[in-house]
Each structure stands twice: as structure tokens, then as C-alpha cells.
Amino acid sequence: MELCRLDELGEGQARGFDPQGRGADSLFALRYLGQVRVYRNLCPHLMVPLEYRKNRFLSADGQWIVCYAHGARFTPEDGTCVHGPCRGEALEALDHKEAGGWLLLPLEQLDR
């Protein structure tokens, strides 16, 4: 499944996606230090979405993924929580591909 063009995901930016059309972003992608990562949009502490408004997954400086429900901070590189009540736990990373200028997500991951 095509999520977006890779050039639409700038350095230090994140973007949410609703690939199943359920009305809420169930995953998000970010570009950090030139690498694209895709995570499920669920905090491991409260199992709630991370963002406080559309596409607001990162700290103001773009250095952390933040759960706005309780302020937990996660590393963009691997989704590990380094601050907050879920310290040591991690966001669920999703496999993705980059091809032909597109960010692609294998469909079988959506229902997990």
C-alpha cells in the first residue's frame, strides 16, 4: 500500500496515516537523520494515540516522539521510551519499503 511520496516527508517531520479508512491515524511515519521509520500510533503505556492533533507526533525540536497523553518520550531511531511511565518499552515498528519515490507498507501488517 502506498502511504505517501518520500519527498512529502521532510527531515524531522512526522505524518499520520489512516490506511484502513477508520477515521483516525493508526500509524505514522517520520524521517530522522535521513532514515524513514514507520510506527503504530499507540503508546505502550495507555494504548492511546500519541498525537494531540493531526501530524503532531514529534517534540518541537523534532528530536523525540512524544505521547501527548502523559509526556513520554521515545527515540525516533527505534521507538524506545527513554522518559515517562513506559520507560524501557517501545513503540511497535512496522516494516516498510521505499520504491519509486514512494513509502510503501505491506498490507498484512495492518490487522495485527
Side-chain angles (χ1 to χ4, degrees), residues 3-87:
L3 292 181
C4 70
R5 294 202 46 80
L6 288 166
D7 60 7
E8 295 173 340
L9 193 59
E11 180 65 33
Q13 294 181 337
R15 189 169 163 195
F17 299 95
D18 179 16
Q20 295 169 302
R22 294 185 177 163
D25 292 336
S26 60
L27 56 97
F28 68 100
L30 61 89
R31 184 183 300 272
Y32 182 76
L33 299 178
Q35 299 295 311
V36 174
R37 303 279 190 265
V38 179
Y39 294 105
R40 197 167 303 279
N41 184 16
L42 279 178
C43 176
H45 173 233
L46 297 174
M47 300 309 281
V48 296
L50 297 162
E51 80 278 25
Y52 71 93
R53 67 179 177 152
K54 182 74 174 156
N55 297 328
R56 295 301 301 215
F57 297 94
L58 302 178
S59 59
D61 63 6
Q63 299 300 301
W64 304 101
I65 300 167
V66 178
C67 176
Y68 287 95
H70 52 75
R73 288 188 205 154
F74 303 85
T75 59
E77 300 93 338
D78 62 8
T80 299
C81 182
V82 294
H83 175 80
C86 50
R87 186 180 180 113

